[in-house]
Amino acid sequence: MNKRHYIAILLTLAVCFAALLLFYRIEKSSINNKEQEPPLYRIQVILKAKANPPDFWRIVEQGVMVAAQEYGAVCEVTGPTSEDDIDRQIEQMKEAIAKQPDAIVLAATDYERLVPICERAVKEGILLVTVDSDVNYTGRKCFVGTDNYQLGKSLAEQVDLLTEKKGKVGVVGHVATVTTAIDRERGLTENLTDADSRITDVVYCNGLVETARKQAISMLQNNPYIVCMVGLNETSAMGIAYALEQLKLEKDVKLVACDCSEKQIQMMERGTIQAFVIQNPFNMGYVSIKSTIELLQGKNVPANYNTQSVVVTKDTLYKNENQKLLFPFVDDQ
């Protein structure tokens, strides 16, 4: 190879290297620009609780974050410590409004008391969507959640099945002012055979397992003829289950529960709980964000999106179709 050919080869390699370097810089700049692009939408999500019950709301939040990532939104998720802290949720609504997001997704702790602050949000041009628990306000554009009257009806059917439509029934709910509790109780009492004579009492634990346990113990001790207990959500059902095991009545008194957690599944396996009526919290979170974004894009969405509920017993606990509902991925954080 002569000197001229050698120089030509070096020049060619230098040009190729320069081209590759230029391409790399352009591509890197393009990626950086994409990373710096602002999100399409900013959404404030205010749940009924962030830590109580632990599994349900954490799974709702997971659905929210998956949808946010898929649709290019930034979602900030907040919520009071417990489901009965209505005042704190109202304050969180005020804080959310001050941030002027594109939308607020709300799981209301009270059907009536959240109405004024919801009206204020809409008047300030913020889109409002409700999830799990609705508000008494027509200004919200969409509700995503379970048909809770139908869920209550399913509870009644399971009680009748387990008790052969005979015997006294005790009920523990979560928070009396939320639509989930109102509609489930109505679905139960309007569909249970001879409900007026069979239901001994309906009490509310304000979303606290320990309160539910104490209430269930008192109810069972004062009404020894109770043959079945009903928990209207995860915390109330867990409290009843602990009470039954503490009083050693788990073999004598049936328990029909709403929702399920890992501990509840264990209690079904050992015979303390006979039936769950379970919801789909991941789908609630996901669809609430998807519907919110579609509304912001000017698309039509159903005013009410039913995420369905399913009855699970020990016989159907490990059926394939129930696996995703019963064992959703929950972070340890």
Side-chain angles (χ1 to χ4, degrees):
M1 181 184 294
N2 59 38
K3 186 176 180 181
R4 189 174 296 174
H5 285 158
Y6 180 74
I7 293 172
I9 291 171
L10 287 177
L11 286 172
T12 302
L13 289 172
V15 170
C16 290
F17 178 77
L20 285 171
L21 184 62
L22 179 63
F23 175 79
Y24 170 77
R25 287 180 175 176
I26 292 172
E27 187 68 16
K28 185 177 180 181
S29 176
S30 174
I31 291 170
N32 288 338
N33 287 337
K34 286 180 181 179
E35 289 176 348
Q36 293 170 5
E37 286 178 3
L40 292 175
Y41 301 108
R42 295 179 302 112
I43 302 171
Q44 292 285 310
V45 180
I46 306 175
L47 303 178
K48 284 196 295 188
K50 281 282 282 180
N52 186 20
D55 286 0
F56 185 88
W57 292 115
R58 288 169 68 188
I59 297 167
V60 171
E61 184 174 354
Q62 287 173 1
V64 164
M65 301 317 292
V66 169
Q69 186 174 16
E70 287 186 16
Y71 289 92
V74 167
C75 294
E76 181 182 357
V77 182
T78 59
T81 302
S82 62
E83 293 191 10
D84 65 333
D85 196 347
I86 302 165
D87 291 335
R88 178 57 187 142
Q89 192 181 56
I90 291 172
E91 287 302 312
Q92 288 174 330
M93 277 289 290
K94 292 177 182 177
E95 292 165 6
I97 291 168
K99 295 176 182 177
Q100 286 296 295
D102 298 294
I104 293 174
V105 175
L106 171 69
T109 53
D110 191 289
Y111 185 57
E112 299 291 348
R113 285 185 57 192
L114 269 292
V115 171
I117 195 65
C118 288
E119 290 176 338
R120 176 178 157 187
V122 172
K123 284 179 182 177
E124 294 199 22
I126 300 169
L127 180 77
L128 178 65
V129 169
T130 52
V131 61
D132 178 72
S133 299
D134 208 357
V135 288
N136 188 21
Y137 176 47
T138 57
R140 65 102 171 111
K141 292 297 183 182
C142 172
F143 168 71
V144 177
T146 305
D147 181 338
N148 286 291
Y149 180 87
Q150 180 60 46
L151 191 155
K153 183 179 179 182
S154 296
L155 292 171
E157 291 169 352
Q158 289 303 304
V159 174
D160 275 344
L161 183 66
L162 289 164
T163 63
E164 298 180 341
K165 302 181 180 180
K166 296 180 291 186
K168 299 295 185 180
V169 179
V171 182
V172 181
H174 40 304
V175 180
T177 57
V178 298
T179 55
T180 53
I182 294 166
D183 292 343
R184 288 172 199 174
E185 181 184 340
R186 190 166 60 88
L188 172 67
T189 57
E190 290 182 3
N191 292 281
L192 182 70
T193 301
D194 299 325
D196 289 342
S197 60
R198 292 178 65 200
I199 294 178
T200 60
D201 202 358
V202 179
V203 296
Y204 286 89
C205 67
N206 289 327
L208 300 173
V209 173
E210 179 60 14
T211 301
R213 184 188 67 82
K214 292 178 180 178
Q215 290 172 327
I217 288 174
S218 176
M219 193 183 299
L220 289 160
Q221 289 177 334
N222 293 329
N223 301 277
Y225 298 107
I226 288 177
V227 297
C228 187
M229 294 288 291
V230 180
L232 296 183
N233 85 326
E234 180 183 329
T235 50
S236 57
M238 284 299 300
I240 296 170
Y242 287 135
L244 290 173
E245 293 185 348
Q246 181 178 336
L247 297 173
K248 301 189 184 307
L249 291 172
E250 65 269 30
K251 303 301 181 185
D252 302 313
V253 178
K254 307 296 184 184
L255 173 53
V256 178
C258 176
D259 298 332
C260 71
S261 63
E262 184 178 347
K263 289 182 179 178
Q264 284 176 291
I265 292 168
Q266 292 169 357
M267 287 180 168
M268 175 173 278
E269 289 174 330
R270 62 179 181 253
T272 304
I273 297 174
Q274 282 67 47
F276 301 126
V277 182
I278 60 174
Q279 304 178 80
N280 192 336
F282 183 92
N283 204 32
M284 276 189 205
Y286 184 92
V287 173
S288 66
I289 298 304
K290 178 177 181 289
S291 298
T292 298
I293 291 171
E294 289 176 345
L295 285 165
L296 290 168
Q297 292 172 339
K299 298 178 182 178
N300 293 322
V301 304
N304 291 278
Y305 186 100
N306 182 8
T307 52
Q308 306 297 328
S309 58
V310 177
V311 175
V312 177
T313 64
K314 193 172 183 179
D315 291 337
T316 62
L317 186 59
Y318 293 104
K319 282 194 172 181
N320 289 335
E321 59 266 32
N322 292 329
Q323 294 300 292
K324 288 185 179 180
L325 293 173
L326 286 165
F327 305 108
F329 175 78
V330 179
D331 292 329
D332 292 329
Q333 298 176 355

